[in-house]
Amino acid sequence: MTLKLTPAEAILHRTGPNNITVLLHAPGGFDPRRAFFGVQTMVGGSDRFQRCVVGDAFTDLAPVDWAQHVSILRDPAITDPAEMLHLARHLAMPEGSPPWRVILVNPDGAGWSGLILHFDHAIADGTRMARLIVANVLPKEGDVACIDALPSQSLAQFKQMIDPNQSMAPIAICRIPFKRLRQRVPTSASNGHALLQLVRETLDQCPAFDDASTRRKDHATVARIVALNSAGKLGNHARMIKIDLSRPAAQQYPSMFTRNRAPLHETLRMAVARRLPAPILRPLVQAEFSKPGIVMTIVPVSRAQKPLFGLPLTAVHAAAPNMGKPLIAVPATRYGDGFDATIVAHPPGNRAAPDVSQSFVASLNARLVGASQ
């Protein structure tokens, strides 16, 4: 039995590829058999992992060909997690199969070690995926699965899986402890609001954005998660809320969650948009996400550090789909006592500046360090 995509999911799929990529850090290595058991548990938690997306619907259920979706990457030359996240964002999905991949990287501990999860946004938003994993994908030491049939690859072979038609701006990653964040922005209503204010302050400190207008810098779009009572099911339940940062923050910053669904006019707009031909719809969506100075999404993973996929995790970084070119895109996960943030910078005028994301993170970190002294 097929499942029809919601209007939001249809738009995400037809304007794509719009994929979410997650990097789970496990320094020192991990047991790949236990991690694969976790992957199998995740896939068993939702039939969306067992369906292709064709047109505006998920197809009938089909058996999972694990070798098409899961591989082991062994290469000690892999040492930079930000570079791995950037490369993984460009991965093509398995042809003719459900749109997701998992890469187990250096389980023996040589170089950077961890797990890469790469999936089509039509399957789920980041919060729904995180809830599924945190609730169900915690394999114990004795929980293992045979990995003999999984393909093993080098970094060169991994790069052959990249979609040549995708080209995204370089990224940078950082850890933002809540304590330092609140020291820097003590009047903020929440950690999420403090992060938004910190990003806005840093825009004024980074020379690459000197040509951007104050009005654009003050224009932020933040994801707000709706439909809390999802019963653990995957789906897309986020609304993008526009915020004017020049106004008093306490009056307008939305909470991360709400039980209210989209208003009628927004529902109607989405229903009309899904019927537009993809060549018309795609540039409209890109333009919509290029207007703000800041686009921010916060995914609440876990306040406690849990062994997701059986990994000894230290951080969880995510990269959002390549939708538009805001000055700064900030997908951040709330893990442990801080945010793991990914920064994607798009300087005004489409100037070629591959190091802007790194420079922005350096400026942001400097403000945090200054706050703690």
Side-chain angles (χ1 to χ4, degrees):
M1 179 180 177
T2 61
L3 295 176
K4 193 172 183 179
L5 300 178
T6 66
E9 291 166 350
I11 291 170
L12 284 166
H13 184 66
R14 292 176 58 230
T15 59
N18 286 318
N19 303 319
I20 297 175
T21 310
V22 184
L23 206 70
L24 295 94
H25 303 247
F30 56 92
D31 184 347
R33 301 170 304 162
R34 185 178 174 188
F36 184 37
F37 184 95
V39 174
Q40 293 179 334
T41 303
M42 176 188 73
V43 172
S46 174
D47 61 17
R48 289 192 170 207
F49 289 109
Q50 303 167 57
R51 300 175 184 269
C52 296
V53 183
V54 178
D56 283 356
F58 288 100
T59 62
D60 292 335
L61 288 169
V64 177
D65 183 350
W66 296 108
Q68 285 286 320
H69 295 277
V70 186
S71 60
I72 302 176
L73 173 54
R74 302 179 190 273
D75 198 319
I78 299 171
T79 57
D80 184 353
E83 181 182 1
M84 279 306 300
L85 182 56
H86 177 65
L87 288 174
R89 295 183 73 199
H90 295 76
L91 286 175
M93 293 299 179
E95 188 173 353
S97 297
W100 62 273
R101 287 188 185 276
V102 170
I103 315 293
L104 308 179
V105 184
N106 287 331
D108 56 359
W112 179 83
S113 298
L115 182 148
I116 297 170
L117 171 61
H118 183 63
F119 60 95
D120 192 315
H121 202 328
I123 293 178
D125 58 46
T127 296
R128 290 291 170 261
M129 186 65 73
R131 283 172 176 257
L132 172 70
I133 294 172
V134 170
N136 302 299
V137 188
L138 298 165
K140 300 176 182 178
E141 290 189 14
D143 296 333
V144 296
C146 180
I147 61 173
D148 293 347
L150 299 183
S152 185
Q153 58 189 177
S154 65
L155 181 58
Q157 292 169 321
F158 174 83
K159 290 180 178 179
Q160 292 175 3
M161 296 162 55
I162 287 176
D163 183 350
N165 297 316
Q166 295 194 58
S167 179
M168 306 181 207
I171 65 173
I173 61 177
C174 61
R175 175 71 175 176
I176 303 175
F178 292 146
K179 182 178 180 180
R180 287 189 178 182
L181 180 62
R182 299 311 289 267
Q183 287 174 338
R184 177 66 219 178
V185 195
T187 60
S188 294
S190 65
N191 290 327
H193 179 224
L195 177 60
L196 185 60
Q197 291 290 346
L198 176 65
V199 171
R200 174 61 186 90
E201 291 177 6
T202 307
L203 274 174
D204 284 338
Q205 302 299 316
C206 201
F209 300 98
D210 287 348
D211 293 340
S213 67
T214 299
R215 182 176 180 180
R216 187 181 181 193
K217 291 178 181 178
D218 285 338
H219 179 188
T221 300
V222 178
R224 189 178 185 184
I225 307 301
V226 299
L228 286 178
N229 298 324
S230 61
K233 296 180 180 179
L234 292 184
N236 284 273
H237 307 288
R239 287 174 54 205
M240 304 307 293
I241 306 298
K242 296 179 180 179
I243 301 174
D244 180 358
L245 294 174
S246 66
R247 296 173 55 194
Q251 298 179 13
Q252 57 160 328
Y253 182 77
S255 61
M256 186 183 301
F257 300 104
T258 177
R259 295 184 182 276
N260 298 323
R261 294 185 178 274
L264 179 60
H265 68 85
E266 186 173 329
T267 301
L268 292 174
R269 185 170 71 97
M270 297 286 282
V272 172
R274 74 176 295 172
R275 298 182 180 278
L276 293 176
I280 296 176
L281 181 59
R282 187 174 294 110
L284 291 176
V285 171
Q286 292 290 323
E288 181 70 17
F289 279 88
S290 296
K291 293 177 184 177
I294 304 168
V295 173
M296 189 175 80
T297 302
I298 294 178
V299 175
V301 178
S302 175
R303 294 186 182 276
Q305 292 187 321
K306 296 184 177 182
L308 308 181
F309 294 96
L311 274 61
L313 287 183
T314 58
V316 180
H317 283 95
N322 185 34
M323 300 177 70
K325 293 184 178 180
L327 296 178
I328 294 291
V330 191
T333 62
R334 189 185 68 197
Y335 185 63
D337 60 355
F339 289 123
D340 291 322
T342 302
I343 301 295
V344 186
H346 303 97
N350 294 319
R351 299 194 306 269
D355 61 341
V356 173
S357 296
Q358 290 284 357
S359 298
F360 190 90
V361 165
S363 296
L364 186 148
N365 282 333
R367 299 185 73 78
L368 287 176
V369 171
S372 64
Q373 293 178 346

